Amino acid sequence: MTEKSAGLVVVDTGTANLASMLAALKRLGQSPELTSDPVALAEARLAVLPGVGAFGQAMSRLAALGLEDAIRARIAEGRPLLCVCLGLQVLCTASEESPGIYGICAIDARVRRFADRPGLVVPQLGWNLVAPLADSRLIEPGYAYYANSYRLEAIPEGYTGATSDHGGQFVAALERGPLLACQFHPELSGAYGHELLGRWLARARAC
Amino acid sequence: MLTLRVIPCLDVDAGRVVKGVRFSGLRDAGDPAERARAYEAQGADELVVLDVSATPEGRSNATDTVRRVREVLGIPLTVGGGVRSVDDARRLLEAGADKVASNTQAAVDPPLIDRLATTFGSQCTVLALDAAKRQDGDGWELVVRSGKERTGRCAVAWAREAAARGAGEIVLTSWDRDGTRAGYDTELIQAVASSVRIPIVASGGAAHGEHMIAAVRAGASAVLAASILHDGETTVLDLKRALAAAELPVRT
């Protein structure tokens, strides 16, 4: 396995807490490299797009670095990509968090804020039960850690994945081949997250 | 549904875990990274590291500790102590924190909360609020500088203002109960939790699971404990079993 960790890049989004993702990947024996270079992102065998603060800010950063096309291309070509939290949301067309700003538009869906309802704590900060769809191959049932105020309400056509419940069902994760986009943070989800990252790495390396 | 969180808190001074009563009389309670690893194995849902030396001495250099803890820790890490600016927060985040808590400086400079929330997001911006019962017994006042200074400001009003400015969570510590094992101040928790929509982490005074059940029923989304865990009197797992026995949702 000389190339065990070759070509795993983590997109350096400037504001994200990248250290947790890097530490989690290192605990899995990987040697992730940070990049903000579109060519490196396009050419890497495996890529990770971590959570990045607010939707609008994230999109302007991705646009300024010229990374949108590389992300869109990886998805269109079915090449290994892991997106986390806001990394999932920016794949969509837009978000209530930043009205008037387009996302990457790889997924035809809009991101909305959790319902404003008495007794529903927002942001959702904590561990929630993840329930995979029957045809999910990567996601197991279990508890994962969330830190979000916005979410996708339904799994779009062409994807499998998992759901959780916080004042109603929402998308916990989307999956299609070696693309895994998690609303929760696998890198902060203890043994559950460690194992999920391990399965994604194995699937991605087999591509 | 979202589960209740049990959160060990490591008060760190000069790279060691310490614990005192009412924020003073600190004694050694071990290595932060070893503690962190042990608590995750026990089922901790999250970890808080507070650099208790930072504010009185006017410095913030918990980054080495944060880096060491991050290497071994696979659950969320909140770090507080001496966070004076967006740059201080960024240093802690780069070292491996997932959330940054500000206390004294946020009270002195409330727009700091807006700046942290705008830069890193509300989910990353934690208010550490230390509250003491007013001497006349009517409500609670905000206490700053690691408990050394009573401000006279209403703690509940400050919680509401901080939430409006973008804080995503409040670690609510009762100065009166801290380290006493007399139970959380549930009236304080109720007063704050009913005034904001963001999650409240109850802190200060826990001795056993019954205290945690009371805090949750008062409106807390999470419970913080230090000395009872550091001294080995109980474990995170035992505390979660107590919560589960009361039919409260916990991650098992």
Side-chain angles (χ1 to χ4, degrees):
Chain A
M1 287 285 285
T2 48
E3 56 167 14
K4 151 175 95 87
S5 49
L8 169 59
V9 299
V10 176
V11 178
D12 183 358
T13 44
T15 56
N17 42 337
L18 296 164
S20 302
M21 178 56 78
L22 295 175
L25 292 169
K26 284 177 189 164
R27 285 193 293 271
L28 281 154
Q30 306 297 309
S31 306
E33 287 167 34
L34 278 176
T35 188
S36 50
D37 171 27
V39 177
L41 175 58
E43 290 179 353
R45 274 190 72 193
L46 282 70
V48 177
L49 180 62
V52 275
F55 187 92
Q57 214 175 20
M59 282 312 303
S60 45
R61 168 96 179 156
L62 292 174
L65 294 169
L67 296 173
E68 290 168 281
D69 286 344
I71 295 167
R72 211 178 283 118
R74 290 195 77 98
I75 294 172
E77 294 160 14
R79 297 177 56 224
L81 178 65
L82 170 68
C83 302
V84 173
C85 197
L86 192 59
L88 180 167
Q89 298 180 5
V90 294
L91 301 183
C92 301
T93 51
S95 169
E96 279 184 1
E97 186 175 16
S98 307
I101 304 214
Y102 279 107
I104 289 171
C105 299
I107 296 173
D108 184 14
R110 294 175 59 88
V111 180
R112 295 185 199 281
R113 194 174 161 86
F114 280 115
D116 188 8
R117 169 182 315 177
L120 189 70
V121 175
V122 178
Q124 171 183 226
L125 282 178
W127 298 73
N128 206 333
L129 192 60
V130 175
L133 300 190
D135 57 351
S136 165
R137 289 172 60 198
L138 290 175
I139 305 159
E140 299 280 338
Y143 285 97
Y145 182 83
Y146 287 93
N148 62 314
S149 299
Y150 298 83
R151 87 294 191 223
L152 212 52
E153 287 156 296
I155 293 176
E157 225 180 284
Y159 289 86
T160 181
T163 60
S164 290
D165 195 292
H166 187 59
Q169 213 173 64
F170 68 93
V171 173
L174 298 176
E175 177 188 337
R176 191 171 74 188
L179 167 66
L180 177 64
C182 301
Q183 182 58 65
F184 57 83
H185 288 268
E187 77 280 16
L188 298 177
S189 295
Y192 176 86
H194 183 83
E195 286 160 18
L196 176 59
L197 288 174
R199 286 192 296 275
W200 175 74
L201 285 166
R203 159 83 67 90
R205 295 247 178 253
C207 271
Chain B
M1 72 189 291
L2 204 56
T3 57
L4 300 160
R5 288 170 284 156
V6 176
I7 306 176
C9 176
L10 308 181
D11 288 349
V12 172
D13 185 13
R16 298 289 292 176
V17 180
V18 294
K19 190 57 204 167
V21 176
R22 293 202 177 105
F23 303 178
S24 60
L26 302 177
R27 60 198 154 75
D28 191 273
D31 174 69
E34 280 171 28
R35 287 283 176 179
R37 199 201 306 255
Y39 289 139
E40 181 180 341
Q42 287 178 15
D45 296 304
E46 204 168 315
L47 193 76
V48 169
V49 167
L50 293 178
D51 180 10
V52 292
S53 60
T55 297
E57 290 163 29
R59 63 188 173 86
S60 65
N61 62 357
T63 49
D64 288 344
T65 301
V66 173
R67 211 167 278 125
R68 290 185 52 232
V69 169
R70 179 79 280 160
E71 279 177 23
V72 300
L73 189 73
I75 57 174
L77 174 62
T78 299
V79 180
V83 177
R84 290 184 165 64
S85 64
V86 167
D87 284 342
D88 287 343
R90 184 176 284 117
R91 270 191 290 279
L92 293 172
L93 293 169
E94 283 173 357
D98 301 296
K99 304 188 241 182
V100 171
S102 59
N103 184 332
T104 302
Q105 192 62 26
V108 171
D109 172 27
L112 174 63
I113 297 173
D114 305 64
R115 294 197 296 276
L116 292 172
T118 309
T119 311
F120 306 114
S122 284
Q123 81 294 332
C124 191
T125 305
V126 178
L127 176 71
L129 198 174
D130 299 340
K133 264 213 158 71
R134 288 192 195 273
Q135 258 119 9
D136 63 9
D138 192 18
W140 298 266
E141 63 182 308
L142 170 65
V143 174
V144 296
R145 298 189 206 288
S146 301
K148 291 182 174 62
E149 186 183 325
R150 283 173 177 259
T151 64
R153 287 159 62 185
C154 173
V156 176
W158 171 230
R160 206 179 290 126
E161 178 184 339
R165 288 182 179 277
E169 182 166 72
I170 297 175
V171 176
L172 179 63
T173 303
S174 162
W175 183 86
D176 308 286
R177 301 293 179 89
D178 182 65
T180 65
R181 309 192 181 188
Y184 299 106
D185 185 340
T186 51
E187 289 176 18
L188 170 66
I189 294 166
Q190 196 154 26
V192 175
S194 61
S195 303
V196 298
R197 282 192 70 202
I198 59 177
I200 304 297
V201 182
S203 161
H208 45 66
E210 290 300 316
H211 288 149
M212 301 188 158
I213 293 165
V216 170
R217 296 209 162 123
S221 295
V223 287
L224 192 115
S227 55
I228 52 168
L229 294 171
H230 303 336
D231 294 348
E233 284 176 33
T234 186
T235 64
V236 175
L237 186 61
D238 285 339
L239 295 170
K240 290 179 115 175
R241 282 189 181 132
L243 289 165
E247 299 193 338
L248 296 170
V250 290
R251 175 178 68 107
T252 48

